[in-house]
Amino acid sequence: MPQGKLYERHVAPLLLEALQDSPAVLIHGPRQCGKSTLALEVGRRAGYDYISFDDDVARLAAKDDPAGFVSDLPDRVIIDEIQHVPDLFSTLKLTIDRRREPGRFLLTGSSNLLLLPTLADSLAGRMQVLRLHPLSQAEVAGRRPEFLDALFARNFETRTVSRLGSDLADLIVAGGYPPALLRPTGRRRANWYIDYVDAIVQRDVRDLARISAFDVLPQLLRLAAAQTSNLFNLSALGAPFRQTLPTINDYFALLERVFLVQRLPPWHNNRLSRLVKTPKLHVADTGVACALLGTDAETLRGDRPLLGQLLETFVFQELRCQAVCHPHPLAFFHYRDKDKVEVDVVIDAGSRGLAGVEVKAGATVRKDDFRGLRKLQRSEPGRFVAGVVLYDGEMCASFGDGLYAVPIRFLWESVRVCRP
């Protein structure tokens, strides 16, 4: 049963709502990010029983007789790590169709079950899915995130704050996994991340696919960490290995399925033919990336190019964590044209508009730092709402036309959003 410090997860209210609406609710995300802790914390108050498929007996019983296993379940039950028995979904469908009551099954999964066709077919309309990421900085700090509200409201007031300075590298290296944050900084925390990656490869990936070269996966993940926030380059990733590029792409897809890496799609616009259509690569957690690269905070502070790469990934992680609990759906992209003008993160809120975020590790902002945001603004004049350059400076200030320079710490600290 999960132990350790309890953080208030921003997705918890959405989980409570989902259990009132849907017969089955799935929390999925990487191992050790807090899924079981969240499910138990919510389920304990509502009288849920708990079963984990990390338990050999429970897993084998469900595989051997899915119908009998489900028929013997309590009225309300948490089934942890359900990805180990994917065939159970069809049985759950039949059970739900016989008695359709909200909140019967609270499921967790450590691989992206949405990629399974059987799941899409079996529980469509019967299950709500919630994504849980490693901890955001707002959750670690115990604050309600307001940055996205302020961004789409163009509501950043001019004021001065203190820089993060050397603390920025510490935050990047720390990452967001709760068990890692319980350890002292430095070698002991890095060792947790290395052991974590090894466990994922040896256990979860083996459940997903039969591959012979398991030693390739940690090396491939290390290369991905070195290329985080760059355009996805399969040839560069595959160069050190004696494997075909399609095989390397399949291996990378496995790392995506267990939430260790992510491809950020390019922004597209039918009116613009010069946009680069290659996704960006991001590791899913900067703590994992730094441990794989052997980089501690002191080293990172002295390596400005690597600091810039990891900071962009760090910001993207924080934004996607906050988006999970945002009241409106948000989609993430990057913008880059063939002149290499770019915006690190483009956030599409549908009918509510479009916003851009550029990330800079320095302590000053110049007019030229808004070049990509202005180009995006010109290409989407009817939809562009606001753009910010996030930087490690002191001043939050407007540069006109909905463009702002904003200190990075405003991502998780109060930005004093004025609400009607």
Side-chain angles (χ1 to χ4, degrees):
M1 192 161 292
Q3 295 179 346
K5 180 177 178 180
L6 286 179
Y7 295 91
E8 183 179 348
R9 305 308 298 260
H10 295 143
V11 76
L14 299 182
L15 175 58
L16 290 170
E17 289 179 2
L19 289 171
Q20 295 173 15
D21 297 332
S22 300
V25 179
L26 170 67
I27 310 169
H28 74 161
R31 274 191 181 271
Q32 298 291 329
C33 73
K35 302 184 303 298
S36 302
T37 301
L38 175 61
L40 284 165
E41 182 67 16
V42 170
R44 187 181 297 116
R45 289 175 291 194
Y48 280 74
D49 286 276
Y50 175 80
I51 295 170
S52 174
F53 282 158
D54 278 340
D55 180 276
D56 291 340
V57 174
R59 184 174 65 254
L60 292 173
K63 286 183 175 180
D64 186 63
D65 182 13
F69 181 85
V70 172
S71 67
D72 291 338
L73 288 174
D75 285 342
R76 293 192 162 205
V77 63
I78 298 167
I79 304 178
D80 209 1
E81 303 296 353
I82 197 170
Q83 78 277 356
H84 291 308
V85 193
D87 291 341
L88 201 67
F89 285 112
S90 57
T91 306
L92 289 175
K93 171 186 178 296
L94 295 174
T95 303
I96 289 170
D97 287 346
R98 292 191 192 104
R99 182 163 61 90
R100 198 180 183 98
E101 294 178 4
R104 292 184 64 187
F105 303 105
L106 176 52
L107 317 172
T108 79
S110 294
S111 66
N112 194 341
L113 296 166
L114 298 182
L115 299 177
L116 295 174
T118 53
L119 174 60
D121 295 338
S122 60
L123 287 177
R126 302 168 180 86
M127 181 175 73
Q128 186 167 338
V129 180
L130 299 175
R131 174 70 186 273
L132 190 67
H133 298 278
L135 289 164
S136 68
Q137 292 302 311
E139 288 170 325
V140 172
R143 295 188 173 101
R144 179 194 179 278
E146 296 182 322
F147 177 81
L148 290 170
D149 291 336
L151 179 63
F152 281 94
R154 296 170 61 151
N155 195 357
F156 295 101
E157 67 174 23
T158 300
R159 62 188 177 103
T160 302
V161 296
S162 59
R163 292 183 59 221
L164 287 167
S166 62
D167 291 343
L168 183 57
D170 294 321
L171 294 174
I172 291 171
V173 172
Y177 283 86
L181 295 178
L182 291 174
R183 293 196 176 195
T185 59
R187 176 178 52 82
R188 290 166 65 182
R189 187 176 288 174
N191 286 343
W192 185 90
Y193 280 118
I194 296 298
D195 293 342
Y196 170 78
V197 170
D198 184 64
I200 295 295
V201 170
Q202 296 301 323
R203 179 170 54 180
D204 290 349
V205 174
R206 286 182 186 274
D207 284 349
L208 295 175
R210 295 181 179 179
I211 61 175
S212 56
F214 273 95
D215 59 316
V216 169
L217 289 171
Q219 298 177 59
L220 181 60
L221 184 57
R222 192 173 297 111
L223 286 172
Q227 296 183 29
T228 192
S229 78
N230 290 334
L231 293 179
F232 180 75
N233 187 330
L234 183 61
S235 296
L237 289 173
F241 306 110
R242 295 181 179 179
Q243 306 284 341
T244 66
L245 289 184
T247 298
I248 293 298
N249 193 54
D250 289 343
Y251 286 0
F252 189 87
L254 286 173
L255 296 176
E256 286 182 298
R257 284 192 61 182
V258 293
F259 304 105
L260 289 173
V261 292
Q262 180 175 351
R263 281 178 264 204
L264 179 64
W267 172 251
H268 54 84
N269 185 321
N270 293 332
R271 298 189 303 275
L272 299 176
S273 60
R274 292 181 52 79
L275 293 181
V276 172
K277 298 180 180 179
T278 305
K280 260 191 177 182
L281 185 159
H282 283 286
V283 289
D285 183 84
T286 54
V288 171
C290 290
L292 289 169
L293 296 173
T295 300
D296 59 15
E298 183 178 356
T299 303
L300 188 59
R301 283 190 281 268
D303 189 339
R304 299 299 293 183
L306 183 59
L307 176 64
Q309 284 181 246
L310 289 167
L311 177 59
E312 182 181 331
T313 291
F314 175 82
V315 168
F316 173 56
Q317 291 168 359
E318 186 71 18
L319 290 170
R320 65 178 185 164
C321 287
Q322 295 188 17
V324 171
C325 61
H326 195 265
H328 307 292
L330 302 175
F332 289 88
F333 305 89
H334 78 93
Y335 173 97
R336 184 182 176 98
D337 66 18
K338 294 180 181 178
D339 296 322
K340 298 184 179 179
V341 178
E342 62 182 351
V343 176
D344 294 327
V345 183
V346 177
I347 309 172
D348 191 340
S351 62
R352 297 178 181 273
L354 192 72
V357 176
E358 183 68 17
V359 183
K360 185 179 179 184
T364 59
V365 173
R366 298 177 176 85
K367 184 178 179 180
D368 193 55
D369 293 324
F370 291 89
R371 183 184 177 201
L373 290 167
R374 292 189 186 281
K375 202 162 188 178
L376 177 63
Q377 185 179 45
R378 289 194 299 271
S379 71
E380 291 286 350
R383 298 196 61 222
F384 187 88
V385 174
V388 301
V389 174
L390 285 173
Y391 75 119
D392 187 27
E394 298 178 344
M395 175 64 70
C396 180
S398 171
F399 275 66
D401 299 324
L403 302 177
Y404 303 86
V406 178
I408 290 169
R409 67 188 318 141
F410 277 16
L411 272 173
W412 58 89
E413 295 186 359
S414 173
V415 290
R416 300 180 187 175
V417 178
C418 298
R419 293 186 177 84

